[in-house]
Amino acid sequence: MTQHYNKKNILQVKSLACQRGEKLLFSNLSFAVASGELLLLEGKNGAGKTTLLRLLSGLRRSDEGEIFWNNQEISELDFDFYQDVSFLGHHNALKLELTAQENLEVSIALSAGSEISIEKALADVKLAGYEHELVKSFSAGMKRRLAIAKLLVLDTPLWVLDEPFTSVDVKGIALIEKFINEHLQKGGLVVMTSHHEVNIEKKYITNLRL
Amino acid sequence: MSIYIIDKKIMIKATWSFIQKFSSPPHFYRISGKMQPWFMAIFIGTLIYGLIGGLYLAPTDYQQGDSFRIIYVHVPAAWMSMFIYMVMAFCAAVALIWRIKLADIVLISSAPIGAMFTAIALATGSIWGKPMWGTWWVWDARLTAELILLFLYLGIFALYNAVEDKRTGSRFVSILVLVGVVNIPIIHYSVEWWATLHQGPTVTKFDKPSIHIDMLIPLLVMAISFKCYYITTMFSRARTELLERESNAKWVTKLLVPTKAD
Amino acid sequence: MAKTRVSTRKAFSVIIWRDLMLSIRHPSEIINPLLFFIMVIILYPFAVGSDAKLLMEISTGVVWVAALLASMLSLDSIFKEDFADGTLEEMILSAHPTSILVLAKVFAHWLLTALPLIILAPILAVMLGMHDDGIVVLLLTLLIGTPVLSLIGAIGVALTVSLRGGGVILSLLILPLYIPVLIFGSGAVNNAILGLDVQGQIYMLAALFVLALFFAPLAIAAALKISLS
């Protein structure tokens, strides 16, 4: 597979600290994720994995420390950062009263644009034929796959995934792992958490324990 | 051109680090602790002088008799209610733009004091209204605007207390205070306009065009006294709040847990 | 990476389209505040008596206060669902300015909730015996005033959307800020009924509208970002 994204993409974190309530979740956290690398966050519930993912996606601002995307602070980059990142959180960010196609159309309109067709992305996540079904008729696994289709359509270099395998069956997990693999080979970056074992070549993965 | 930009960046960085150092929690904690007794002393001194001057020495008003003397509490309290809101708005802007922790803390420590002064201004205004208008409450523009201000203050508490995380709460409150400060002049103007429309100029006794100098001096002294009270109380609240929020920081541990080496 | 750029205008209109679509498929949220508006107005004659002259005198105030409360009530839902299902996060992480997208949401919400209310208001005003001159100005002031209510109200909602029991706090936060709109809106209608000049109040309302249009989206966007962090 050919390189697809800028090979020099790099996400750097410098002495990041985060406090929630009275509790200090982490402090003096520094790491870097480069093009083609996957950072797997590990740690107990409440260790701050989700909070860190929200910091990295730009949803939350850090209390201390900085996050750099290609050597520029993400809060300064603002939209220029947001157009390079896709965030998949606990929620699928889908509207139940809209169809699969409509949901993806809205997501594209909110992004900087897309080159990949909605039909192809839906076919890739095995949702071909469901384009015009309302999402409320979908099973939990189908909804999650549709959320994954959003990642494929938007095709941003940085994926921030919070438990992407939840409510997906074994086949679905294999499918998502395949997408992550392809994304890394294209020169993409992934930061994620997972309760499941992640079946991706070890050479791509860096582990970070919180 | 590029040199100029770099220069500017360095300048901003330098100013920034200066502000940051100056407003750093331990620095503030130390300085405010030292300043607090002085403000306390000025507060008590000016309070005694202002009250004696206002309640005994100032001449009796030829129209209102002795009932006018309530202005020595009412007017400074009303001034403070606005002044504190302005301080809070300034802190809110500083907290949101430069993310200085201290601004958050000064803001939230000021709110109850501001609300208290607003309540005092309302209560004394109402007490003053009884002999003047024969009723406890009239929909006078200033009283009504003061009442709305009280609700703005109460909204701040309600919002802050509803949020579990204090930092998040502070940031919410900062936005609310800024929205409020844009609205205060609009509210004042519209209420004034509304009051004159509905009542005509019957209540203009408040707007005395001139005031005797012997009446004015105690009033100004009381204003200083109230300001010092505000600073003292705000300092104590801010210091407590600071310790609570920074309970993880080294300087707090050092301060509260005496080490054997000392 | 030659991506086809999506213009912010496109994003703006897609958000409006989405919100209109959602409420067409799930219309109870539009209808309930409207019923509330009608009910509040109908309650007044029961409380103050059916004396036509008295009702006529208070008609302006009744309609405006009911409109204001209905606006606040309906606003409660503007960000609630988006907050719960994650689409609000998507909106903030969008490649377009959040304030513009938020403005689209407020506009869609105004179309769905305030516009029907404005259409109904003359009927209710007639029931209360309001003069024709008053009704024309009532329509005009509601048309300029309700967007201001929506914009200011959305700030309050953005501040409280992440809180449990945010609804009660919401009223405390935004009702004081609604007072100027109420003063100028009902003032204009009362003046019209008395045959006086209404230009001053209308201009003031228009000024409030412009002010809210520029500043409210920024405050809403900032508040939403904090709500999600």
Side-chain angles (χ1 to χ4, degrees), chain B residues 47 50-51 54-55 67-81 116-125 127-128 146 215 218-223 226:
Chain B
L47 184 74
L51 283 181
L55 299 186
S67 66
F68 94 95
R69 291 186 194 276
I70 203 165
I71 63 162
Y72 292 111
V73 181
H74 174 76
V75 172
W79 284 344
M80 285 310 289
S81 67
M116 187 199 71
F117 277 122
T118 317
I120 290 175
L122 272 175
T124 50
I127 293 168
W128 190 12
E146 199 71 23
M215 292 179 176
L219 188 65
L220 296 178
V221 171
M222 284 299 282
F226 278 24

Side-chain angles (χ1 to χ4, degrees), chain B residues 27-49:
Chain B
H27 192 266
F28 172 80
Y29 190 86
R30 209 158 32 87
I31 298 286
S32 63
K34 278 185 189 156
M35 282 157 71
Q36 214 179 1
W38 292 99
F39 280 111
M40 191 72 179
I42 301 173
F43 159 60
I44 294 171
T46 48
L47 184 74
I48 293 168
Y49 177 82

Side-chain angles (χ1 to χ4, degrees), chain C residues 76-92:
Chain C
D76 199 30
S77 65
I78 182 170
F79 298 123
K80 200 180 259 171
E81 242 175 69
D82 290 11
F83 181 79
D85 65 18
T87 44
L88 200 57
E89 288 169 0
E90 192 182 21
M91 217 170 80
I92 283 178

Side-chain angles (χ1 to χ4, degrees), chain A residues 54 57 60 79 82-83 87 91 93-95 97-98 102 107-115 134 150 154-155, chain C residues 2-6 11 14 17-18 22 25 82 84-87 89-90 92-97 228-229:
Chain A
R54 294 174 82 84
S57 67
R60 191 186 166 113
F79 309 122
Y82 292 153
Q83 69 181 45
F87 175 71
H91 305 294
L94 298 169
K95 284 289 176 201
E97 306 280 343
L98 294 183
E102 286 167 345
S107 295
I108 291 172
L110 288 179
S111 76
S114 164
E115 280 188 328
L134 290 185
K150 221 187 265 180
L154 299 184
D155 198 27
Chain C
K3 285 189 174 183
T4 48
R5 300 289 307 192
V6 179
V14 165
W17 169 83
R18 184 195 70 178
L22 285 173
R25 288 175 191 171
D82 290 11
D85 65 18
T87 44
E89 288 169 0
E90 192 182 21
I92 283 178
L93 295 180
S94 155
H96 307 286
L228 282 172
S229 69

Side-chain angles (χ1 to χ4, degrees), chain A residues 183-201:
Chain A
H183 184 66
L184 293 172
Q185 278 166 21
K186 283 192 288 185
L189 295 77
V190 180
V191 183
M192 65 180 280
T193 60
S194 173
H195 278 108
H196 296 266
E197 187 73 20
V198 184
N199 232 334
I200 287 166
E201 269 190 76

